[in-house]
Amino acid sequence: MAAITIPTELCEKLRNAKKVVALTGAGISAESGLATFRDAQTGLWAKYSPEELATPQAFIDNPELVWNWYAWRRQLAAEAMPNPGHQALVTMAEKVPEFLLVTQNIDGLHQRAGSTHVIELHGNIHRTKRFDDNQIVTDWEENGEIPPRCPTTNSLLRPDVVWFGENLPAGALAQAAIAAEECDIFFSIGTSSVVFPAAGLIGETLRHGGLTVEINPGETPHSSAVSFVLRGPAGSVLPELIQKTWP
Ligand code: OAD
């Protein structure tokens, strides 16, 4: 793939920006080997139906299937390594006075790359909670029962991720929306921008006249509205952007 040209104007704006928000999606972890959701051949939703696996009803109907699917993905996430795209956002956070990283990803790779403050809109696959009341549980007995149960209440355990039809974690969306409204630059990275409310965050920046940047090898519904489109994989575009902005 030909090298991406990073506009000099964008680098200047980024160098002078006081507040920056980056929203990431599954695409930023693609180069770590984790499947996205909607890419036609490899996307997880090409092989599995969200209704069968990512809803509370799916868990009620077949908790073992759902637990095992997440256990498989948890294993893949644990084996994956952060890539240069994740690392570039650690550097950006060090350079920009106020930087907020907001992710739809549940894989924990931003944190493993070294990002310290990450708003996780869709939860984290490495955390587990009670199905009955959403309380986080860290210890349980592995006695072969799948899913395992909470040792205190006997509730079935489930991953601490947001399923279709569920609310996002309290406060996370509000904090992200305020940051998107106030920021000088909003980066939309590796997301198809079709799942709301996350996909609506960029609208806050657009409404308030902030600069918007899309980093994605493919088109999204926001492509025509953003200030800059950087068409390429995050793992090479982001490091180039950092290098050109802070040489
Ligand atoms: P999608 O699978 O919908 O979109 C992935 C995006 O990443 C696409 O636009 C790709 O073009 C792009 N992409 C692929 N490779 C890339 C690369 N190397 N660098 C940059 N971009 C790349 O994933 P999300 O937008 O994250 O929610 O999906 C949003 C939500 O839908 C997920 O959080 C999940 C899913 O259902 C829940 O499970 C609640």
Side-chain angles (χ1 to χ4, degrees):
M1 189 184 285
I4 316 289
T5 307
I6 310 286
T8 306
E9 188 194 345
L10 171 58
C11 299
E12 279 163 12
K13 301 258 193 214
L14 180 54
R15 210 176 297 121
N16 294 319
K18 302 272 179 295
K19 298 185 181 188
V20 172
V21 172
L23 170 70
T24 63
I28 197 166
S29 295
E31 289 155 274
S32 295
L34 298 179
T36 61
F37 291 94
R38 294 178 181 77
D39 285 322
Q41 299 304 318
T42 56
L44 287 170
W45 295 149
K47 292 189 201 150
Y48 307 98
S49 134
E51 293 72 30
E52 274 170 50
L53 295 163
T55 67
Q57 192 58 47
F59 187 79
I60 290 166
D61 292 345
N62 199 338
E64 185 177 349
L65 173 75
V66 173
W67 177 270
N68 281 338
W69 191 64
Y70 280 95
W72 169 66
R73 288 179 58 205
R74 189 182 304 119
Q75 178 76 21
L76 294 178
E79 286 166 5
M81 294 300 289
N83 68 57
H86 297 106
Q87 278 142 11
L89 291 177
V90 179
T91 308
M92 200 185 282
E94 289 163 3
K95 302 284 186 191
V96 173
E98 273 187 54
F99 178 81
L100 187 68
L101 180 52
V102 183
T103 191
Q104 299 165 85
N105 298 346
I106 58 175
D107 56 33
L109 287 181
H110 283 303
Q111 291 89 337
R112 281 178 51 210
S115 288
T116 46
H117 183 54
V118 185
I119 295 205
E120 296 179 316
L121 292 178
H122 294 165
N124 189 309
I125 199 167
H126 301 291
R127 280 192 309 265
T128 298
K129 64 182 183 179
R130 294 201 286 252
F131 182 71
D132 292 349
D133 62 3
N134 293 318
Q135 291 304 301
I136 299 293
V137 175
T138 51
D139 286 311
W140 59 87
E141 200 189 331
E142 295 286 359
N143 61 3
E145 191 178 1
I146 297 175
R149 288 179 181 273
C150 171
T152 315
T153 68
N154 210 37
S155 164
L156 288 178
L157 298 180
R158 56 162 281 185
D160 183 22
V161 300
V162 175
W163 283 333
F164 290 96
E166 292 187 317
N167 291 327
L168 272 56
L173 183 66
Q175 199 187 339
I178 290 167
E181 183 183 321
E182 293 178 345
C183 71
D184 305 308
I185 308 182
F186 184 101
F187 286 93
S188 176
I189 305 166
T191 174
S192 58
S193 298
V194 296
V195 174
F196 285 79
L201 287 171
I202 198 169
E204 304 291 334
T205 311
L206 287 166
R207 265 189 293 284
H208 287 82
L211 204 77
T212 48
V213 185
E214 176 174 280
I215 299 178
N216 197 315
E219 290 259 331
T220 81
H222 294 142
S223 298
S224 59
V226 298
S227 323
F228 294 96
V229 173
L230 304 181
R231 269 282 161 266
S236 28
V237 171
L238 277 168
E240 274 185 56
L241 174 67
I242 297 292
Q243 171 60 27
K244 195 165 170 187
T245 305
W246 296 284

